[in-house]
Amino acid sequence: MIIKNITGLLFFIGTLSQGQAPLPNVTLKTLSGQSVTTQKIAKNNDLLIISLWATWCVPCKNELDAVAEVYDDWISDTGVIYYAISIDDARTSNRIKPMVNGKGWKFEILIDQNSDLKRGFGVSTVPYTVIVKNEKIVYKHMGYSPGYEEELYQQILNYSN
């Protein structure tokens, strides 16, 4: 009986840790300097991916390059919208626009100037990726290794219906 209760409790805690938490509501900037809230982008999109990154983070750039190669297929297959949100601070934020233009990334680029979203997620390192469905975080992942975009795509398919 005790083992059954502990097992049930651990399953419940695991379910909570994997998702269904509300998306933190913070204000971000577009590359043109306009303000937008995470609440607004979540309300406008049933399914979205948020990936925190920085210009100085090599794994972040590798992840974004890999996603850029398959992003058009993801949109046509699932309708998912991908938001790459830079956590660059005042010292490195001037590198964001030239990097994005040079890479030709087609997904949405936003800037978390004060690391409010990073703090809201409670993370200390990037890349950090979440899938948001109907304004709730349903999947979280930290780090990047080659091929991870395939796992992410499978998760997108799980939540796209």
Side-chain angles (χ1 to χ4, degrees), residues 4 11 14 42-43 46 51 55 58 71 79 83 88 91 97 106 126 129 139-141 153:
K4 184 178 178 183
F11 175 77
K43 280 189 185 297
D46 291 336
S51 182
T55 58
V58 173
Y71 185 52
Y83 287 88
D88 281 276
R91 294 177 312 212
K97 218 184 258 191
K106 295 180 183 175
V126 289
T129 305
Y139 173 82
K140 310 177 228 185
H141 181 83
Y153 180 66

Side-chain angles (χ1 to χ4, degrees), residues 59-96:
C60 297
K61 293 183 285 187
N62 291 342
E63 177 180 24
L64 295 176
D65 285 341
V67 168
E69 290 180 19
V70 294
Y71 185 52
D72 287 337
D73 293 334
W74 288 10
I75 293 172
S76 64
D77 292 349
T78 67
V80 70
I81 303 295
Y82 193 97
Y83 287 88
I85 301 176
S86 171
I87 61 160
D88 281 276
D89 61 16
R91 294 177 312 212
T92 58
S93 63
N94 61 340
R95 298 180 195 161
I96 300 168

Side-chain angles (χ1 to χ4, degrees), residues 28-47:
L28 306 167
K29 295 285 185 181
T30 65
L31 289 178
S32 61
Q34 296 178 326
S35 295
V36 64
T37 65
T38 52
Q39 186 176 41
K40 182 175 181 180
I41 64 173
K43 280 189 185 297
N44 292 340
N45 301 288
D46 291 336
L47 183 65

Side-chain angles (χ1 to χ4, degrees), residues 2-154:
I2 293 173
I3 292 175
K4 184 178 178 183
N5 288 340
I6 290 173
T7 303
L9 179 61
L10 290 175
F11 175 77
F12 178 72
I13 290 170
T15 303
L16 287 177
S17 68
Q18 183 55 27
Q20 299 300 314
L23 180 65
N25 188 26
V26 300
T27 300
L28 306 167
K29 295 285 185 181
T30 65
L31 289 178
S32 61
Q34 296 178 326
S35 295
V36 64
T37 65
T38 52
Q39 186 176 41
K40 182 175 181 180
I41 64 173
K43 280 189 185 297
N44 292 340
N45 301 288
D46 291 336
L47 183 65
L48 61 105
I49 299 169
I50 294 176
S51 182
L52 298 183
W53 70 286
T55 58
W56 44 261
C57 171
V58 173
C60 297
K61 293 183 285 187
N62 291 342
E63 177 180 24
L64 295 176
D65 285 341
V67 168
E69 290 180 19
V70 294
Y71 185 52
D72 287 337
D73 293 334
W74 288 10
I75 293 172
S76 64
D77 292 349
T78 67
V80 70
I81 303 295
Y82 193 97
Y83 287 88
I85 301 176
S86 171
I87 61 160
D88 281 276
D89 61 16
R91 294 177 312 212
T92 58
S93 63
N94 61 340
R95 298 180 195 161
I96 300 168
K97 218 184 258 191
M99 181 175 289
V100 169
N101 290 337
K103 295 281 191 176
W105 294 329
K106 295 180 183 175
F107 28 79
E108 301 290 329
I109 306 290
L110 298 172
I111 304 167
D112 185 16
Q113 290 179 315
N114 299 317
S115 291
D116 293 333
L117 186 57
K118 182 181 165 193
R119 270 191 305 284
F121 283 147
V123 298
S124 58
T125 189
V126 289
Y128 183 75
T129 305
V130 299
I131 297 176
V132 178
K133 174 143 179 112
N134 299 326
E135 302 177 48
K136 301 283 186 207
I137 298 168
V138 295
Y139 173 82
K140 310 177 228 185
H141 181 83
M142 189 175 302
Y144 175 76
S145 59
Y148 165 68
E149 63 279 0
E150 294 169 21
E151 177 186 327
L152 182 59
Y153 180 66
Q154 289 305 309

